[in-house]
Amino acid sequence: MKVALLGTCIADMFYPQAIESTYKLLKRQGVTVDYPEDQICCGQPSFNSGYFDEAARVAKHLIKSFEKTEYIITPSGSCAAMIRDNYPRLFKDDPQALEQAKTFANKVYEFSEFFVKVLGVKDLGAKYDAKVTYHHSCHMSRLLRIKDAPVELIKNIEGVEYVELPNNQDCCGFGGTFSVKMADISSSMLNEKIENVKKTGAEILVGSDLSCLMNISGGLSRQGINVKTMHVAELLDRGLQ
């Protein structure tokens, strides 16, 4: 099987280890992995800010970058949701581009979704001794409707003690520009999330969206709370080393 890896902006700039871990885990399954070098942002920042023409130009470039790929895997529920939900909206008045956007969207899988749904792999044979909880990001759980896949992968890591995060349906308060435009509300939501993380007693908070992990880890650091944050691919990869 051949796949292409969509790294995403946040991972490329701040969490390259998540891309590397995703790449290594796919290779372990015998998958041939391509990383198109001309890939760019999915366009979510422009779309969420109302710059739809700009988002459409970005989307067309990304679609072109992956046009020869059968499967596209990304370590981001947020970017996968942007492509599946919003690309068709961007091109609703352009039949040819709309068809290309729908074809592209059908190829895109979030990391854990691809392992569980397509590869049929829930246990990678990883071992890692730690008490772990999981943050269900909004785009993963509400737009992609993926909640079980990442948790199944985590629970099957030998040595992991999994603890459910209280009120796990709640947003972390990031929301891209929301955290800037509504800073007070965002901060309050983040503080609630951190209080729930503290209740679990977990050593590691795992997630599938790096922007959420960046937001939560910043709050944990500012409050002097010693809880690590990791993408689910990174935790699995560490468990195989």
Side-chain angles (χ1 to χ4, degrees), residues 65-120:
S65 299
F66 288 88
E67 64 180 348
K68 296 179 180 178
T69 304
E70 183 179 5
Y71 293 103
I72 301 160
I73 317 304
T74 180
S76 168
S78 181
C79 293
M82 168 67 194
I83 292 166
R84 286 192 197 170
D85 270 28
N86 295 328
Y87 274 25
R89 296 180 188 177
L90 285 172
F91 303 112
K92 60 183 174 59
D93 297 323
D94 183 340
Q96 183 177 357
L98 176 60
E99 191 60 34
Q100 291 172 335
K102 288 181 176 177
T103 300
F104 179 67
N106 288 333
K107 297 178 182 179
V108 172
Y109 288 84
E110 182 276 332
F111 164 79
S112 63
E113 176 189 32
F114 183 74
F115 270 75
V116 173
K117 185 176 179 179
V118 180
L119 296 180

Side-chain angles (χ1 to χ4, degrees), residues 43 45-56 90:
S46 300
F47 184 89
N48 289 348
S49 299
Y51 299 110
F52 302 131
D53 290 344
E54 183 178 297
L90 285 172

Side-chain angles (χ1 to χ4, degrees), residues 161-195:
E161 179 186 351
Y162 180 78
V163 187
E164 192 71 33
L165 185 64
N167 299 325
N168 62 40
Q169 76 281 357
D170 290 353
C171 174
C172 72
F174 182 63
T177 55
F178 171 79
S179 62
V180 177
K181 294 176 179 175
M182 303 286 183
D184 290 341
I185 299 174
S186 170
S187 179
S188 178
M189 294 167 74
L190 175 60
N191 287 335
E192 286 186 10
K193 180 65 66 177
I194 288 174
E195 284 303 310

Side-chain angles (χ1 to χ4, degrees), residues 20 41 47 59 61 64 72 81 95 97 101 125-126 131 141 146 149-150 157 167 181 202 219 226:
E20 183 179 0
C41 173
F47 184 89
H61 182 105
K64 179 76 173 174
I72 301 160
K131 191 172 185 179
S141 60
I146 300 172
I157 299 174
N167 299 325
K181 294 176 179 175
N226 186 27

Side-chain angles (χ1 to χ4, degrees), residues 201-240:
E203 303 162 76
I204 303 172
L205 172 72
V206 180
S208 298
D209 270 308
L210 296 162
S211 52
C212 295
L213 292 178
M214 182 169 62
N215 188 40
I216 299 169
S217 67
L220 290 167
S221 177
R222 287 191 292 275
Q223 295 187 32
I225 300 168
N226 186 27
V227 175
K228 296 178 182 177
T229 57
M230 287 186 199
H231 189 275
V232 62
E234 187 182 357
L235 178 64
L236 288 161
D237 184 32
R238 290 193 182 196
L240 290 166

